[in-house]
Amino acid sequence: MVGKLRNMTAIYLIRGENVLLLFRQGGQVVTDVWTGSAGGHFEDFELNNATACVLRELNEELNLCEDDLDNLSLRYVTLLRTKGEIRQNYYFFANLKEHIGDDLHSNEGTVRWFSINDLSDLEMPYTAKYVMEHYCKIGRFSDKLYTGVSNGYGVEFIELPEY
């Protein structure tokens, strides 16, 4: 029986046709892979507020705050069952405001800008790889929220409408 849940957030910072990625080193769940610009586990007081979690992680890891962003939005929620737990990931995207320089540093690893067209060969966490693939092909051209379920062969995405 699976009863353990792991809730995490990630944010991808966009500037034009480029995305800032983090080569995370020494992480609790993922290490030595390219991940979102910042992200991590929910604190107890954030369990019902993914936005609070991602903004805290953004500040802790990149020393940025919500005022440094435009169009912060939750775009993907994924589920993955692995290692005796269900992992629920909340993926945010935002545009980095122009007053913030490109030379950013993280205390979690190395950050680097990539062209959105050059992501397919990068080693990424399982659901993150499929989120970025979907985002590059479909998600960046809409403002929809998508949910994705890992099925062992990939991640199946559907729009999550509000009604």
Side-chain angles (χ1 to χ4, degrees):
M1 180 173 128
V2 174
K4 184 173 181 181
L5 305 175
R6 184 180 299 270
N7 294 290
M8 297 173 285
T9 61
I11 185 168
Y12 290 88
L13 300 178
I14 306 293
R15 179 168 273 158
E17 292 294 310
N18 297 309
V19 59
L20 185 69
L21 297 180
L22 166 68
F23 189 75
R24 186 170 295 278
Q25 297 164 306
Q28 293 178 30
V29 176
V30 295
T31 191
D32 297 331
V33 292
W34 291 99
T35 65
S37 310
H41 294 86
F42 282 63
E43 298 292 341
D44 289 345
F45 62 90
E46 297 166 333
L47 286 179
N48 291 317
N49 191 341
T51 302
C53 179
V54 82
L55 288 173
R56 177 186 52 77
E57 293 285 355
L58 182 69
N59 184 261
E60 289 176 3
E61 295 179 16
L62 289 170
N63 200 30
L64 297 173
C65 65
E66 189 172 9
D67 290 342
D68 298 321
L69 310 176
D70 280 325
N71 304 317
L72 173 65
S73 60
L74 175 62
R75 298 297 310 284
Y76 294 87
V77 179
T78 63
L79 291 173
L80 170 68
R81 183 176 160 194
T82 186
K83 299 180 182 175
E85 62 188 18
I86 296 173
R87 295 182 181 174
Q88 188 162 309
N89 288 277
Y90 298 82
Y91 292 97
F92 289 80
F93 287 76
N95 296 314
L96 192 59
K97 287 186 177 178
E98 290 192 23
H99 74 273
I100 303 298
D102 285 338
D103 189 28
L104 296 168
H105 301 279
S106 173
N107 60 2
E108 295 284 332
T110 303
V111 290
R112 183 174 147 204
W113 289 98
F114 287 90
S115 167
I116 287 177
N117 300 317
D118 295 335
L119 303 179
S120 61
D121 292 333
L122 296 177
E123 186 72 25
M124 294 182 183
Y126 189 82
T127 59
K129 181 101 173 156
Y130 289 101
V131 163
M132 289 309 296
E133 181 180 290
H134 188 275
Y135 177 80
C136 290
K137 291 179 185 174
I138 298 168
R140 69 182 171 144
F141 303 109
S142 78
D143 60 356
K144 296 176 180 171
L145 174 60
Y146 297 94
T147 185
V149 176
S150 302
N151 62 15
Y153 304 102
V155 177
E156 293 184 38
F157 291 100
I158 61 169
E159 181 185 344
L160 186 61
E162 185 170 356
Y163 57 93

